Amino acid sequence: MRVGIQRILGAVTVGVVCAVVTAGPVSAQSGGAGQPAEAPTLSLSSLGADGDIALYGFSGSHSITVPVPKGLTPGALTADLELPPYVGGGTLIVTQEDRTLSRVELLATDTTPITIPLTGARVVDDTVSFTVRSRLLPEEGECLFNPTVPLKLTDAAIAYTGSEEVTDTVADFLPPVLARLTIFVPKTPSTAESDAAVKLTTAVVSRYGDQHPEVRLAALPGNGQPPPSGPLERNVVIREGGDPGVAVQGDRAGVPALLITGSGAELDDQVQLLDSELSRLALARKAVAGPTKSSSDQTAKQASLTDLGQPTLSATAFEPRVVLPIDQTRLGGPVRDVRVDLKGSYTPLPSTVGGQIVVSVGDVTLDRWAAESTGTIDRSVTIPNSELERVTDLSIALEIAGNTGQCGEFQPTTLRIDGSTTINSAPDPAQSVGFQSIPQSLLPKTQIGLEEGSLEATSAAVAIGAGLQRLSGPRIDTEVTSLDDAIAGSLPAVLISTDSWDSENVVPPVRSDSDGQLTVSPVGGSGGASLELDPSLKFASLQVGRSGNRTLLFAISDTGPKDLVALLDWLDSEPSRWANLTGTALLARPGAEPVHVDTDEVLAAPTATTTSPLWWIAIGAGVIVLGGIAVLVVRRVAHK
């Protein structure tokens, strides 16, 4: 996974004209024994912030808050600069509270790399906050400046100085910025070790959020010691048995590893320590956690943005727009009948300008009303159930029309949605099917069934746990069990089989047997269709199914663990791939690009008779896609 770590290769000069920075990739390795690692440049996107900054009008501003690893200091903000047309020059100013950190004069140039010094910025609680402000001047003569075209700072990054401090306590083991976590387990992990690895994965992914650190599983070397980790990387060893505890290992080159030990429930308790506020008190090289209780959230019937941990939304532009994400995972599970009671405000418009507030979801307008002189928003909006997705983006925009005066007379307006805005909903007992139903339909707790002692199945569980957690607001509560126990259980489950699927108690929507028969079944229903193929079709897949009132996520390979790992690696290689999964199945032949298949759509016959040739073409859609024979039906599935 790309983590946005870069090395400054050339000297940086700041003057009246924008400075030029030459940047390239940096290896995530230490500087060698006794040698400090070179200070990195980290993209804002890898730090969990928006990497593209837009400053509107003659006077725009944008606030930035990013984490700062211990031992490092923010040295500069780097970005590619693009000035709007008809700008003769200007200034970029960086401020922190009431202090000016730097000014950079701008000339009317094309896209240019720029470096804005952050020298003197104060770091509080391992974070730094500052504001970038623009002051632009129009070209001389007639004003053609378009205030709706912003000054852009793209691919923004923070260039740090210093070197990362070596960790020596449990409390400080996980840094403010994490690029990669490697979890080491024995080559034949026990169920408790697999369970602890998945729990640690979801805890770390939940903690770092939009930083999207890479999490991977590896077999513990024969000597029982993992190799040294590089800067902004951490290694954790999970081993069942011995005295329970969490301990930073002895002095080694690079960052020491963390050892988590214990038996059964004790091992689980030690992993939970790293995800609790109690870890702040573990100011020693070793700590032992007592028993913990898992608190499963229930579906909330009503919750404010503040209750959901979502910030107040605001935007400043000539036609400001904010997007309120309605995340079903934050509401505790699948919901329907969603009503949003909007509370907020906007800058009152002058008498020469008219305006309206427009609320929409995608291309569907839900409500609109005229802007009023009070500038107050107090309105309830209902979202149709047909428009609800895992995360439904509710757009609130202030649209204007009228005489905006001479050049620069009309300044940007501000639109704000307050934290007191509430979201009302009802649980959805039907729970829609397909990839858009996860992970909310796996809440509040899900089992992960796999073969005990299988490193490959545990690696798949870690990859799936990381992918699902990146889709979820709250942390997902998981429990690793045997595959048979998960199949027979009553909880939602992730079912992992690296050697085909042979259970008839629950079946995935698409499956193939050794005789060449491909079976397509409706999700949660009966019936379906089959097709005999010669030669037989083998594939790895990730599929969403139903059994009674519970959701099942199947991770299966007919061709061995290597192809299932390859499929999960493909999903993880782009952060958006998990979120963009559609349909009910993701299938991949060895060496081929994975494809989405909506089995219910495939089974929706154009006629009611099973003898219709068109019906059989629909049944074979997945086969046609996987075999690369034709593309007629592929487009309908892939562009759904």
Side-chain angles (χ1 to χ4, degrees), residues 593-624:
E593 187 85 356
V595 295
H596 299 86
V597 176
D598 189 328
T599 53
D600 285 351
E601 181 178 308
V602 168
L603 289 170
T607 68
T609 62
T610 58
T611 57
S612 167
L614 291 177
W615 188 80
W616 282 107
I617 292 175
I619 294 297
V623 182
I624 294 173

Side-chain angles (χ1 to χ4, degrees), residues 199-343:
K199 282 184 167 65
L200 179 59
T201 297
T202 58
V204 167
V205 171
S206 177
R207 172 172 178 159
Y208 286 94
D210 289 338
Q211 284 191 32
H212 287 234
E214 178 185 358
V215 181
R216 64 181 184 180
L217 189 82
L220 196 60
N223 62 4
Q225 295 292 329
S229 60
L232 307 182
E233 297 181 1
R234 294 293 185 267
N235 292 338
V236 175
V237 177
I238 294 176
R239 184 184 294 126
E240 185 178 15
D243 294 333
V246 181
V248 178
Q249 297 298 280
D251 296 333
R252 296 176 56 109
V255 180
L258 192 73
L259 174 64
I260 302 178
T261 56
S263 300
E266 292 176 336
L267 188 62
D268 182 47
D269 293 336
Q270 308 317 306
V271 172
Q272 300 289 0
L273 171 64
L274 295 180
D275 189 39
S276 70
E277 291 297 319
L278 196 61
S279 65
R280 295 175 178 267
L281 302 178
L283 298 171
R285 294 183 67 89
K286 182 176 180 178
V288 180
T292 58
K293 284 188 176 181
S294 173
S295 59
S296 298
D297 296 330
Q298 300 298 318
T299 303
K301 294 182 179 179
Q302 183 184 75
S304 69
L305 297 190
T306 301
D307 295 335
L308 297 173
Q310 296 182 215
T312 294
L313 303 170
S314 66
T316 300
F318 280 81
E319 289 191 318
R321 172 179 173 269
V322 298
V323 175
L324 170 58
I326 311 297
D327 186 340
Q328 295 193 43
T329 67
R330 291 188 179 273
L331 297 176
V335 296
R336 58 183 293 112
D337 303 332
V338 175
R339 188 187 78 245
V340 182
D341 296 332
L342 293 169
K343 308 288 185 182

Side-chain angles (χ1 to χ4, degrees), residues 150-433:
L151 179 154
K152 295 180 180 179
L153 296 174
T154 58
D155 295 329
I158 302 293
Y160 292 95
T161 60
S163 58
E164 185 185 9
E165 291 182 1
V166 176
T167 302
D168 61 359
T169 68
V170 173
D172 294 328
F173 178 77
L174 291 176
V177 179
L178 183 66
R180 174 186 294 171
L181 174 72
T182 303
I183 303 172
F184 289 87
V185 296
K187 292 182 179 179
T188 55
S190 66
T191 297
E193 289 165 340
S194 298
D195 183 57
V198 176
K199 282 184 167 65
L200 179 59
T201 297
T202 58
V204 167
V205 171
S206 177
R207 172 172 178 159
Y208 286 94
D210 289 338
Q211 284 191 32
H212 287 234
E214 178 185 358
V215 181
R216 64 181 184 180
L217 189 82
L220 196 60
N223 62 4
Q225 295 292 329
S229 60
L232 307 182
E233 297 181 1
R234 294 293 185 267
N235 292 338
V236 175
V237 177
I238 294 176
R239 184 184 294 126
E240 185 178 15
D243 294 333
V246 181
V248 178
Q249 297 298 280
D251 296 333
R252 296 176 56 109
V255 180
L258 192 73
L259 174 64
I260 302 178
T261 56
S263 300
E266 292 176 336
L267 188 62
D268 182 47
D269 293 336
Q270 308 317 306
V271 172
Q272 300 289 0
L273 171 64
L274 295 180
D275 189 39
S276 70
E277 291 297 319
L278 196 61
S279 65
R280 295 175 178 267
L281 302 178
L283 298 171
R285 294 183 67 89
K286 182 176 180 178
V288 180
T292 58
K293 284 188 176 181
S294 173
S295 59
S296 298
D297 296 330
Q298 300 298 318
T299 303
K301 294 182 179 179
Q302 183 184 75
S304 69
L305 297 190
T306 301
D307 295 335
L308 297 173
Q310 296 182 215
T312 294
L313 303 170
S314 66
T316 300
F318 280 81
E319 289 191 318
R321 172 179 173 269
V322 298
V323 175
L324 170 58
I326 311 297
D327 186 340
Q328 295 193 43
T329 67
R330 291 188 179 273
L331 297 176
V335 296
R336 58 183 293 112
D337 303 332
V338 175
R339 188 187 78 245
V340 182
D341 296 332
L342 293 169
K343 308 288 185 182
S345 61
Y346 51 91
T347 305
L349 301 175
S351 59
T352 58
V353 175
Q356 65 176 353
I357 308 296
V358 180
V359 182
S360 60
V361 170
D363 296 330
V364 179
T365 298
L366 305 181
D367 197 3
R368 66 174 75 231
W369 64 93
E372 300 176 349
S373 59
T374 60
T376 300
I377 296 177
D378 187 356
R379 194 93 164 188
S380 294
V381 177
T382 299
I383 302 177
N385 292 329
S386 60
E387 300 300 322
L388 290 175
E389 296 182 342
R390 178 195 306 117
V391 179
T392 305
D393 288 333
L394 186 68
S395 169
I396 304 100
L398 172 59
E399 298 180 351
I400 64 172
N403 182 12
T404 57
Q406 299 298 313
C407 184
E409 287 184 3
F410 185 80
Q411 294 301 306
T413 57
T414 297
L415 173 64
R416 175 187 174 96
I417 299 299
D418 297 334
S420 58
T421 293
T422 58
I423 301 173
N424 304 268
S425 61
D428 182 8
Q431 298 182 356
S432 60
V433 297

Side-chain angles (χ1 to χ4, degrees), residues 132-149:
V132 180
R133 305 181 188 276
S134 62
R135 300 286 187 270
L136 301 181
L137 299 173
E139 290 181 340
E140 294 185 4
E142 184 177 354
C143 177
L144 298 175
F145 176 74
N146 183 353
T148 64
V149 180

Side-chain angles (χ1 to χ4, degrees), residues 107-118:
L107 299 179
T109 59
D110 295 327
T111 302
T112 306
I114 185 173
T115 296
I116 308 172
L118 299 176

Side-chain angles (χ1 to χ4, degrees), residues 398-620:
L398 172 59
E399 298 180 351
I400 64 172
N403 182 12
T404 57
Q406 299 298 313
C407 184
E409 287 184 3
F410 185 80
Q411 294 301 306
T413 57
T414 297
L415 173 64
R416 175 187 174 96
I417 299 299
D418 297 334
S420 58
T421 293
T422 58
I423 301 173
N424 304 268
S425 61
D428 182 8
Q431 298 182 356
S432 60
V433 297
F435 285 115
Q436 283 298 311
S437 73
I438 59 171
Q440 65 268 22
S441 61
L442 299 176
L443 299 175
K445 184 173 184 177
T446 187
Q447 289 184 319
I448 299 180
L450 49 79
E451 177 188 354
E452 184 175 9
S454 171
L455 185 69
E456 294 84 359
T458 302
S459 180
V462 165
I464 293 170
L468 293 175
Q469 187 60 62
R470 290 193 177 104
L471 300 177
S472 179
R475 182 183 167 189
I476 299 174
D477 189 3
T478 61
E479 176 190 15
V480 172
T481 68
S482 70
L483 183 58
D484 288 340
D485 286 347
I487 290 173
S490 59
L491 292 175
V494 177
L495 307 176
I496 300 173
S497 175
T498 59
D499 187 20
S500 71
W501 188 260
D502 55 11
S503 173
E504 292 297 329
N505 294 325
V506 296
V507 294
V510 182
R511 53 183 174 148
S512 176
D513 62 24
S514 58
D515 295 330
Q517 180 166 289
L518 182 78
T519 303
V520 182
S521 305
V523 176
S526 59
S530 63
L531 200 63
E532 291 190 7
L533 304 175
D534 187 11
S536 61
L537 181 66
K538 302 293 184 180
F539 52 85
S541 66
L542 195 65
Q543 305 184 49
V544 180
R546 296 273 292 172
S547 176
N549 61 354
R550 64 181 183 141
T551 293
L552 303 175
L553 178 63
F554 298 87
I556 307 170
S557 177
D558 296 330
T559 57
K562 180 178 66 174
D563 291 316
L564 180 59
V565 170
L567 175 61
L568 295 173
D569 285 346
W570 178 85
L571 269 176
D572 194 50
S573 63
E574 292 290 342
S576 62
R577 281 179 174 162
W578 272 99
N580 291 337
L581 283 175
T582 59
T584 52
L586 180 71
L587 287 71
R589 289 184 304 123
E593 187 85 356
V595 295
H596 299 86
V597 176
D598 189 328
T599 53
D600 285 351
E601 181 178 308
V602 168
L603 289 170
T607 68
T609 62
T610 58
T611 57
S612 167
L614 291 177
W615 188 80
W616 282 107
I617 292 175
I619 294 297

